[in-house]
Amino acid sequence: MVDSYTFAIDVVQTIGDRLATKTAEIGHLSETNTSFVEWLVWEAFLACKLRQASYPFCEVAATPTYASEGVVDAGSATRNTGDLRVGGPEEGANHCWAFIEFALLGDANHAKEETACQLNAAVERLKRLGWKKSAALLLVLAVSQGDLLANWAEALVACGVWNQPTLTAPLVIALPNGGTAVLKAFDCKRDPTHILTVGSGQ
């Protein structure tokens, strides 16, 4: 039986493996100093979709609604869709689901108050799921030509994301233009004691 912790890590690794083959693209996009988070979302979707038959994933869905997970619509002021939902094997698995939102940090936006607000809003949306054993993930891709660790900490501490439990060690990707990208997954739980661990899906 696949447990929820292992499954969630496999989803993140599947996405990370694809991004590791896209170093030139990430480097070029980061040089524009504009957001390319939509590109990131679709690359993640393709990574999981292309693996759906062999993993197997029972579902790979783009822009899933929070309403589909039983979260009541909070009105037009609140975003009511996520970026990606991936389900595990249809048989023999328990709580193997990942509902994901993505965020992008770069040299141009890491210190902006607006970025911190967006990250915090994503965390609060994910907490509304109330999932204990499945993964409610905020995947942050940080890309920098400079001191990535300082930039990362500054933005994430500002909005409280830093205090969310991380699912696994970050994936570090060296870019051909001399920059660095880091993919980190935060499991956002309404109750901080609800941390995915090996065997939690049993």
Side-chain angles (χ1 to χ4, degrees), residues 107-145:
D107 290 327
N109 76 339
H110 75 274
K112 290 185 177 180
E113 183 179 348
E114 178 185 1
T115 302
C117 290
Q118 290 172 348
L119 288 169
N120 191 54
V123 170
E124 292 306 311
R125 284 193 299 272
L126 289 162
K127 286 181 178 179
R128 291 166 61 203
L129 291 171
W131 284 2
K132 180 177 181 179
K133 293 184 177 180
S134 293
L137 299 178
L138 175 63
L139 262 64
V140 181
L141 182 69
V143 185
S144 179
Q145 298 297 315

Side-chain angles (χ1 to χ4, degrees), residues 2-14 51 55-59 85-89 93-99 134-135 137 167 196:
V2 178
D3 66 81
S4 54
Y5 176 76
T6 302
F7 172 76
I9 288 178
D10 285 345
V11 170
V12 174
Q13 189 64 52
T14 296
R51 197 181 174 201
Y55 183 79
F57 297 136
C58 71
E59 178 192 57
R85 182 178 61 221
V86 183
N94 186 14
H95 299 292
C96 287
W97 291 91
F99 193 102
S134 293
L137 299 178
L167 185 70
L196 292 183

Side-chain angles (χ1 to χ4, degrees), residues 46-59:
L46 289 172
C48 294
K49 194 68 177 176
L50 291 171
R51 197 181 174 201
Q52 185 170 0
S54 63
Y55 183 79
F57 297 136
C58 71
E59 178 192 57

Side-chain angles (χ1 to χ4, degrees), residues 9-78:
I9 288 178
D10 285 345
V11 170
V12 174
Q13 189 64 52
T14 296
I15 295 168
D17 287 347
R18 182 172 178 89
L19 293 179
T21 69
K22 302 287 180 176
T23 57
E25 290 92 332
I26 294 172
H28 291 314
L29 290 167
S30 68
E31 290 170 350
T32 67
N33 285 325
T34 57
S35 177
F36 54 95
V37 70
E38 289 188 11
W39 175 89
L40 174 62
V41 170
W42 286 113
E43 288 297 326
F45 170 80
L46 289 172
C48 294
K49 194 68 177 176
L50 291 171
R51 197 181 174 201
Q52 185 170 0
S54 63
Y55 183 79
F57 297 136
C58 71
E59 178 192 57
V60 178
T63 61
T65 65
Y66 278 88
S68 69
E69 307 307 316
V71 176
V72 177
D73 186 346
S76 59
T78 302

Side-chain angles (χ1 to χ4, degrees), residues 158-173:
C159 67
V161 173
W162 189 261
N163 296 322
Q164 298 298 314
T166 54
L167 185 70
T168 186
L171 171 67
V172 180
I173 303 169

